[in-house]
Amino acid sequence: MINKRFCIANWKMNYSIIDSKEYIMIWNKLEKLNTNVKTIICPPFTGLNVVGDLLKDSSTELGAQNIFYKNKGAYTGEISSIMLKELECKWIIIGHSERRMIIGETNEVIHDKLSHVINEGLFPILCVGETLEDRENGKTEIIIKEQLEIAIGDIDLNASKYILIAYEPVWAIGTGLHADNEIINKIHLFIRNYFIEKGYNSNISIIYGGSVTDKNAFSLSNNPNIDGFLIGGASLDVNKFYSIYTNL
Ligand code: PGA
């Protein structure tokens, strides 16, 4: 098991370059005593350069919210691992439910991205999770298993030092309604067992995302089955993000 927990900010489509600078300048001044926690900030593409520069001498690492599965070529609007690595971006969010549902990303495309990220020596943050309808129909585990099964396919996950799986129930994202410890335990153990059965374990961390705030982080972070958080809304406030980090 990786002896670290993860505190990851997903800014989504928020913050201009000026806002990003202000945020990171405050962030860098805050004391990071929780050495057991790795912090990662994922700004939109336009902010990667400035955020990466400002984080250079800090313990916080840079992540991207998306990637394409080819290195270069005629792929209008896409961004490649070469470009992201040039900015010293190490972590990539893949399969976020907003990309699945709004952009129409399929499990097959997510597989290609996961494979590419690992081949390129980047670290994936693979998001899975059920909709409210799936949950009400008792299909949570079936959906998550399918998402994992297709995304992973024949990829050798041992080729990566870190594989982060973010359990993000769609009904909890941006709704203020986080999953409780009982639900999280059940699903995180389900995901953990899925990987153990496949012969993987030591490089897999299972984090939770969905309405994590400075208010609920403490009760969730006491849960030994949670290896960290992927935080959207609350990460936009630097003090809230810091408070979540200190509580982890
Ligand atoms: P939220 O988003 O914290 O705003 O619910 C989490 C995510 O989408 O990663």
Side-chain angles (χ1 to χ4, degrees), residues 10 12 96 98 168 172-175 209-212 230-234:
N10 173 12
K12 308 192 179 183
H96 192 282
E98 284 152 13
E168 295 211 310
I173 295 177
T175 58
S211 295
V212 175
L230 179 56
I231 309 138

Side-chain angles (χ1 to χ4, degrees), residues 7-9 23-24 27-28 30 32 37-42 51-52 54-63 88 90-91 241 245:
C7 188
I8 307 176
Y23 184 111
I24 303 296
W27 174 254
N28 281 346
L30 298 168
K32 313 295 187 311
V37 175
K38 196 185 264 301
T39 50
I40 300 164
I41 294 181
C42 308
V51 171
L54 290 169
L55 290 178
K56 219 158 240 158
D57 300 319
S58 84
S59 56
T60 301
E61 296 180 1
L62 187 66
E88 306 211 13
K90 288 191 183 162
W91 300 85
F241 184 56
Y245 154 78

Side-chain angles (χ1 to χ4, degrees), residues 10-51:
N10 173 12
W11 287 358
K12 308 192 179 183
M13 199 174 72
N14 293 290
Y15 285 164
S16 64
I17 289 176
I18 292 174
D19 298 332
S20 308
K21 259 190 203 164
E22 270 173 22
Y23 184 111
I24 303 296
M25 275 152 73
I26 299 171
W27 174 254
N28 281 346
K29 285 194 192 128
L30 298 168
E31 212 170 2
K32 313 295 187 311
L33 296 175
N34 206 351
T35 50
N36 194 32
V37 175
K38 196 185 264 301
T39 50
I40 300 164
I41 294 181
C42 308
F45 288 143
T46 49
L48 284 172
N49 201 355
V50 69
V51 171

Side-chain angles (χ1 to χ4, degrees), residues 146-194:
E146 186 183 33
Q147 289 171 338
L148 290 172
E149 200 79 358
I150 301 176
I152 295 160
D154 56 358
I155 300 171
D156 175 14
L157 297 183
N158 283 329
S160 183
K161 184 173 172 194
Y162 300 105
I163 303 284
L164 265 58
I165 306 297
Y167 169 51
E168 295 211 310
V170 178
W171 48 270
I173 295 177
T175 58
L177 207 78
H178 70 87
D180 60 25
N181 275 312
E182 197 182 326
I183 292 179
I184 296 174
N185 279 339
K186 190 164 176 233
I187 302 304
H188 281 214
L189 289 173
F190 173 78
I191 295 172
R192 174 68 61 195
N193 285 334
Y194 171 86

